[in-house]
Amino acid sequence: MSYFDAASAAPLHPVARQALLASVDEGWADPARPYREGRRARLLLDAAREAAAEAVGCRPDELVFTPSGTRAVHSGIKGALAGRRRVGRHLIASAVEHSSVLHSAEEFEADGGTVSRVPVSRSGTAGAEAYGAALRPDTALACLQSANHEVGTVQPVAEVAAVCRAAGVPLLVDAAQSLGWGPVEGDWSLLTASAHKWGGPSGVGLLVVRKGVRFAPQGPVDERESGRAAGFENIPAIVAAAASLRAVRAEAAEEAARLRELTGRIRARVPELVPDVEVVGDPVRRLPGIVTFSCLYVDGETVLHELDRAGFSVSSGSSCTSSTLTPSHVLKAMGVLSEGNVRVSLPPGTPAEEVDRFLSVLPDVVAAVREKLGAPAPRTAAHEDALLVDALGKRCPIPVIELAKVIEDVPVGGTVRVLSDDEAARLDIPAWCEMRGQQYVGEEPAERGSAYLVRRLS
């Protein structure tokens, strides 16, 4: 089985396993106690903190360990907003942030705060100019991921941090996807990360708060981890997380070059092997191991199941997966095709032969899914140079399939109006038009759902 979903969770690094087992016998005691066992546990915890701080590029007393990366994000955002509540109640975040950031923003809004969501380019990049335009006198905090978890686009953190610093606004960076590859550049103020993204054990997160940043921990007061992460520290897991971070950093330069070649091969070959595919994300400013593409006329869940049967574990941001009924917020913000989305994220050590086998299997998988789905004969009504396609009640990718089947039934300059009540159509029909060289005219209200107007150009 080829595991190609390292962006969700990387396999446990051998160094992490060794450190975890070794510290189980030494790090079980309370590190706050002055007796021998407690001192031994404290030494392990302090050494892990120093190693992690060195990797991040911060002081050890600026870094605390949390029970997860999500908890680090929640605690970091809440603490920073509370610490600057006298400045105002305005939060800035990009439209493609991880759900932990977006959920924190939603909670902040529900509590009376205001949130500006910075748009991104078609490659998924949030520009420094857009952040500068969103800044206000009452802005308490800005958030930006170092790299996107779905498409791999690396964000211009240093430039955004400079804009925020000039305005006196702290920037929180979610570095979950990138920290294993290197420190985050720029004059950021807060940083979060998660150990299971770089091959450490799950259940360990990092929260860094730079000295001088106003921060007020929320919730009941706890004496552990500088009062910023309540509860007894999982010292064996923390030791393993720090050890694995140091290990992957030592391998990062060589492994990044190798994975970049493999993902570059996927980016180049997939459009050649599979028709009607859009490769998404920035082609240059991207993480080494992530490549994402979307296939017209298939649903993502079926593609994932078929690839699983063929021996490949991949993930999807598609609207047609069992975990969500709406398009991925990342793909939606980018304005790219969401149907049939496949994210390949290669863990360090992936053999080139496995990538070649994936490329040999993928075309038949997509072709079989397209054949299996077919396209129900659309109910059309001719109106001179116009057609009406009734796709109400049909889910992705059927509305787009039906559009594709009838577009040549109207003359050049003619129009097709697609009726659909599937939210994914709002993103996928314009994306199909761009891919196929047709003109997306716009959306009109309908008695049920919406009517999407497409003009044939070729």
Side-chain angles (χ1 to χ4, degrees):
M1 192 75 180
S2 299
Y3 181 75
F4 286 179
D5 194 22
S8 293
L12 194 66
H13 195 283
V15 168
R17 185 184 301 277
Q18 295 168 4
L20 184 66
L21 294 176
S23 57
V24 163
D25 293 331
E26 298 292 329
W28 54 268
D30 187 346
R33 299 292 179 243
Y35 43 69
R36 182 180 57 188
E37 295 85 357
R39 294 197 305 273
R40 188 180 301 145
R42 170 55 64 180
L43 286 173
L44 288 173
L45 181 59
D46 288 346
R49 196 183 314 279
E50 289 176 5
E54 181 182 3
V56 171
C58 67
R59 294 169 37 159
D61 59 351
E62 294 175 329
L63 184 151
V64 299
F65 295 104
T66 65
S68 69
T70 294
R71 183 68 65 82
V73 167
H74 292 171
S75 299
I77 291 177
K78 283 187 175 181
L81 289 172
R84 286 173 50 84
R85 60 187 176 273
R86 291 184 179 178
V87 173
R89 305 204 67 205
H90 177 232
L91 171 68
I92 301 173
S94 84
V96 294
E97 295 299 311
H98 187 268
S99 58
S100 59
V101 173
L102 300 182
H103 292 161
S104 294
E106 290 168 2
E107 183 183 55
F108 181 59
E109 279 184 312
D111 192 41
T114 58
V115 178
S116 293
R117 293 168 177 83
V118 175
V120 297
S121 67
R122 193 172 177 84
S123 68
T125 303
E129 300 83 0
Y131 267 80
L135 288 167
R136 304 186 332 203
D138 63 338
T139 302
L141 178 68
C143 300
L144 178 64
Q145 58 192 192
S146 56
N148 187 259
H149 49 293
E150 287 194 26
V151 300
T153 296
V154 173
Q155 301 291 359
V157 172
E159 293 90 334
V160 172
V163 169
C164 291
R165 177 69 66 179
V169 174
L171 177 69
L172 181 147
V173 178
D174 170 15
Q177 288 296 335
S178 74
L179 193 60
W181 297 110
V184 177
E185 306 257 332
D187 196 8
W188 47 266
S189 301
L190 301 97
L191 180 142
T192 64
S194 187
H196 73 277
K197 301 291 188 179
W198 65 69
S202 58
V204 179
L206 305 180
L207 170 61
V208 178
V209 182
R210 294 283 199 190
K211 292 296 181 184
V213 176
R214 292 187 178 275
F215 191 88
Q218 299 301 285
V221 176
D222 193 290
E223 70 277 7
R224 298 183 186 274
E225 294 301 298
S226 304
R228 294 173 182 171
F232 199 97
E233 298 94 342
N234 184 347
I235 293 178
I238 288 172
V239 170
S244 59
L245 180 56
R246 175 177 287 177
V248 299
R249 280 291 189 80
E251 306 160 354
E254 182 178 352
E255 192 60 25
R258 200 179 68 82
L259 291 185
R260 247 178 231 292
E261 192 279 326
L262 294 179
T263 53
R265 189 183 308 178
I266 296 174
R267 290 182 66 91
R269 292 289 290 148
V270 167
E272 296 173 355
L273 297 169
V274 183
D276 298 315
V277 164
E278 181 179 14
V279 181
V280 300
D282 195 292
V284 178
R285 290 179 56 90
R286 59 185 175 87
L287 291 174
I290 297 179
V291 56
T292 304
F293 55 89
S294 299
C295 308
L296 277 172
Y297 317 135
V298 301
D299 74 272
E301 186 174 29
T302 304
V303 171
L304 264 58
H305 285 323
E306 293 301 317
L307 286 172
D308 181 48
R309 291 175 60 185
F312 296 96
S313 301
V314 300
S315 61
S316 173
S318 172
S319 56
C320 301
T321 59
S322 57
S323 61
T324 178
L325 296 177
T326 58
S328 150
H329 72 276
V330 172
L331 301 178
K332 187 175 181 179
M334 292 167 62
V336 297
L337 184 70
S338 71
E339 68 184 50
N341 180 260
V342 176
R343 180 187 68 181
V344 174
S345 49
L346 306 177
T350 299
E353 295 76 17
E354 291 187 15
V355 171
D356 291 336
R357 189 169 72 87
F358 173 79
L359 291 171
S360 70
V361 165
L362 181 68
D364 289 341
V365 166
V366 174
V369 172
R370 284 172 174 167
E371 183 178 2
K372 184 186 300 183
L373 277 176
R379 296 174 304 197
T380 62
H383 299 287
E384 297 179 353
D385 63 347
L387 284 177
L388 175 67
V389 173
D390 186 351
L392 293 170
K394 299 173 183 176
R395 298 304 172 203
C396 66
I398 299 302
V400 180
I401 291 176
E402 296 193 350
L403 167 61
K405 287 203 165 187
V406 303
I407 189 67
E408 293 185 3
D409 292 344
V410 299
V412 173
T415 60
V416 177
R417 180 175 273 98
V418 183
L419 296 178
S420 176
D421 52 3
D422 181 11
E423 184 181 342
R426 182 169 289 112
L427 178 62
D428 290 347
I429 289 176
W432 178 89
C433 290
E434 179 159 333
M435 292 176 67
R436 305 297 288 181
Q438 309 300 345
Q439 180 184 5
Y440 177 66
V441 178
E443 176 184 348
E444 299 174 350
E447 187 174 341
R448 279 183 58 201
S450 296
Y452 302 93
L453 189 62
V454 176
R455 178 173 290 112
R456 182 184 174 191
L457 299 182
S458 60

